[in-house]
Amino acid sequence: DNSITFAGTSAPVNGAAEDQLLTEVPQIAQDGPVEVTVNGKTATGPDFDVITTGTLEVIIETTGSQPDPDGYSLMLDGSNTEAVDVNDTAQIKNLDDGSYDLELANVSSNCTIEGENPRNLNIAAGETTSTTFNVECLRVLKNKIVYTEWSNPTKILAINPDGSEKELLYEESGITQIDISPDGKKIVFSSGPVTGSNLYKINADGSGKVQLTTSGDGNNDPAWSPEGDKIVFSGEDSNGDNQLFVINEDGSNRQQLTFNDFSAREPHWSPDGSKIVFDAFPVDNYEIYVMNADGTKPTQLTSDSARDQDPVWSPDGSKIAFTSTRESGNFHIYTMNPDGSDVQQITDNENSNRNPAWSPNGSEITFNGFDGSLENIYKIDSNGSGTVSEVTSEADDEREPKWASDN
């Protein structure tokens, strides 16, 4: 006559041997002593704990040059459980048997999580379930002026608009034009001889170089689309004429946009992505044109005996900044309406000024200016008021400024 009870709750005897009884713990059993009766003799064992819950172990591993200084939060089934550091291990205990949704929350926009988030996990009583969140946090350029220094090797540098905190992002011989992705995470650039260059992109911290074009037919003047999914650029067609092309941001799906018998260069998207402004050499001089983003309906905006080049749309789409030699023979910065009307001269200093780029709020324009010996980076109010102020004052040629978004 054999029996087993757990804190007074009877349990079945599933088998017996000379020195053991086989049983299973009743689901309704509570913590307490085990009482065993064999052949009319009873013995009481030590107290036991009934384990009905499990543990979730969460490991967070973060890489990259700009981790979130505030860390993250763990959300279990939509409820905030606890704060965690960017590299941390946390345990969530006393979870009932069952399925749970775990989310790593409050992750900065410059960080990406490998795998599913949230993710579904099963918890078993008496066991520890472990999961790992691998997070990569890339550098984001915000309200920085990014430009090239034409030394050997060529450098891509970033600086605050007031000229402080200059930093090296990347260097490589042969870099010419650059642009910053709208989210500030990537830089695209052309590299190589002018007629044999290709396009590449890197992360904003200079890592992760990827080649985007392989044709080597003078791919230059790259510009990101407002959504960051496409890049427009200039390159030679099969006849050796400079035309405009577009690719996806990963280099795929190359399409030719222009089929003109003049040299088209320096494209830039409108803020809504519907149009592209560019300069071209129709007969004996550079003029500025605009077309639909698919290459249709090219329209000439300027018609002047001087050179009109370097067009770039303002953030709100109300103006186009460009450079022209129409007044003094030197290049100066001008603005006009998107239909070519209301041309206003913005700079009138002694330098030759090229490559304008708007500040994120449109109140200022940065550009590179040549003083007769060196190029440096400058800025001025976009309405032409005030004076030209210096951003850099280096003993090297500083060119091609781009102003990163402040979003």
Side-chain angles (χ1 to χ4, degrees):
D1 184 15
N2 306 324
S3 67
I4 302 176
T5 62
F6 291 84
T9 300
S10 296
V13 177
N14 297 329
E18 185 177 346
D19 59 354
Q20 63 182 4
L21 295 177
L22 301 180
T23 187
E24 60 185 57
V25 180
Q27 290 187 351
I28 61 173
Q30 303 296 317
D31 295 350
V34 179
E35 187 175 272
V36 179
T37 300
V38 178
N39 295 328
K41 296 182 179 180
T42 299
T44 301
D47 286 1
F48 68 95
D49 293 327
V50 177
I51 301 174
T52 61
T53 61
T55 297
L56 175 58
E57 180 183 66
V58 185
I59 302 168
I60 301 98
E61 297 179 351
T62 301
T63 60
S65 58
Q66 195 170 344
D68 190 338
D70 298 325
Y72 317 119
S73 297
L74 295 178
M75 303 281 290
L76 196 65
D77 283 348
S79 297
N80 194 348
T81 302
E82 63 180 286
V84 289
D85 292 331
V86 294
N87 289 289
D88 204 351
T89 299
Q91 287 193 335
I92 306 173
K93 298 181 178 181
N94 300 319
L95 296 176
D96 292 335
D97 273 357
S99 177
Y100 294 84
D101 288 327
L102 176 69
E103 179 182 1
L104 189 66
N106 297 327
V107 179
S108 178
S109 61
N110 68 305
C111 301
T112 56
I113 301 171
E114 181 181 315
E116 293 183 351
N117 186 47
R119 59 190 58 171
N120 186 262
L121 300 166
N122 290 314
I123 303 299
E127 297 183 5
T128 296
T129 300
S130 183
T131 188
T132 300
F133 286 102
N134 292 303
V135 186
E136 183 180 29
C137 296
L138 297 177
R139 170 73 187 276
V140 175
L141 296 164
K142 290 187 177 183
N143 198 30
K144 293 274 189 178
I145 295 176
V146 180
Y147 61 97
T148 59
E149 181 179 280
W150 284 36
S151 53
N152 190 16
T154 309
K155 297 176 175 61
I156 300 177
L157 299 143
I159 198 168
N160 288 333
D162 63 2
S164 64
E165 297 184 15
K166 183 180 79 169
E167 57 180 318
L168 174 66
L169 301 178
Y170 185 74
E171 58 184 352
E172 176 184 307
S173 296
I175 294 174
T176 51
Q177 295 92 1
I178 64 171
D179 196 24
I180 310 165
S181 63
D183 61 9
K185 295 180 181 180
K186 304 282 185 181
I187 296 172
V188 63
F189 64 90
S190 56
S191 182
V194 173
T195 58
S197 56
N198 276 301
L199 300 185
Y200 304 81
K201 69 176 179 179
I202 53 175
N203 296 326
D205 62 3
S207 66
K209 179 183 174 182
V210 176
Q211 186 167 348
L212 299 178
T213 64
T214 58
S215 58
D217 49 9
N219 300 310
N220 292 295
D221 308 312
W224 292 89
S225 65
E227 295 299 321
D229 59 338
K230 296 182 183 297
I231 297 170
V232 66
F233 61 98
S234 65
E236 292 183 357
D237 63 12
S238 58
N239 298 320
D241 295 323
N242 224 56
Q243 305 289 354
L244 300 184
F245 299 81
V246 67
I247 54 175
N248 293 337
E249 64 88 24
D250 62 0
S252 64
N253 195 28
R254 176 179 174 129
Q255 297 180 15
Q256 186 171 338
L257 297 178
T258 61
F259 297 86
N260 306 306
D261 57 359
F262 53 73
S263 177
R265 296 184 64 249
E266 296 172 332
H268 193 275
W269 303 78
S270 61
D272 63 2
S274 66
K275 296 185 180 298
I276 294 173
V277 67
F278 61 99
D279 62 47
F281 198 89
V283 181
D284 58 359
N285 200 22
Y286 277 100
E287 302 292 352
I288 294 175
Y289 294 75
V290 67
M291 65 181 182
N292 291 334
D294 62 2
T296 60
K297 296 184 179 180
T299 303
Q300 188 171 339
L301 297 182
T302 64
S303 180
D304 193 273
S305 59
R307 295 172 63 180
D308 297 326
Q309 293 183 257
D310 309 323
V312 58
W313 237 292
S314 65
D316 65 1
S318 66
K319 294 287 183 181
I320 294 172
F322 65 101
T323 63
S324 179
T325 59
R326 62 182 62 193
E327 293 297 331
S328 62
N330 275 347
F331 276 101
H332 280 290
I333 310 297
Y334 293 78
T335 62
M336 62 181 172
N337 292 334
D339 62 1
S341 64
D342 192 26
V343 174
Q344 301 288 330
Q345 185 173 351
I346 303 302
T347 63
D348 61 358
N349 58 346
E350 296 180 357
N351 290 354
S352 183
N353 303 312
R354 296 292 304 271
N355 301 309
W358 296 82
S359 65
N361 63 8
S363 65
E364 294 179 286
I365 295 173
T366 185
F367 54 92
N368 55 263
F370 181 62
D371 64 4
S373 60
L374 291 172
E375 301 261 5
N376 269 296
I377 308 300
Y378 300 84
K379 65 177 182 176
I380 191 172
D381 291 344
S382 60
N383 61 8
S385 65
T387 58
V388 171
S389 61
E390 202 171 52
V391 178
T392 69
S393 57
E394 308 298 330
D396 291 294
D397 282 344
E398 320 287 345
R399 307 184 189 185
E400 295 286 334
K402 305 295 180 183
W403 206 318
S405 171
D406 58 359
N407 293 330

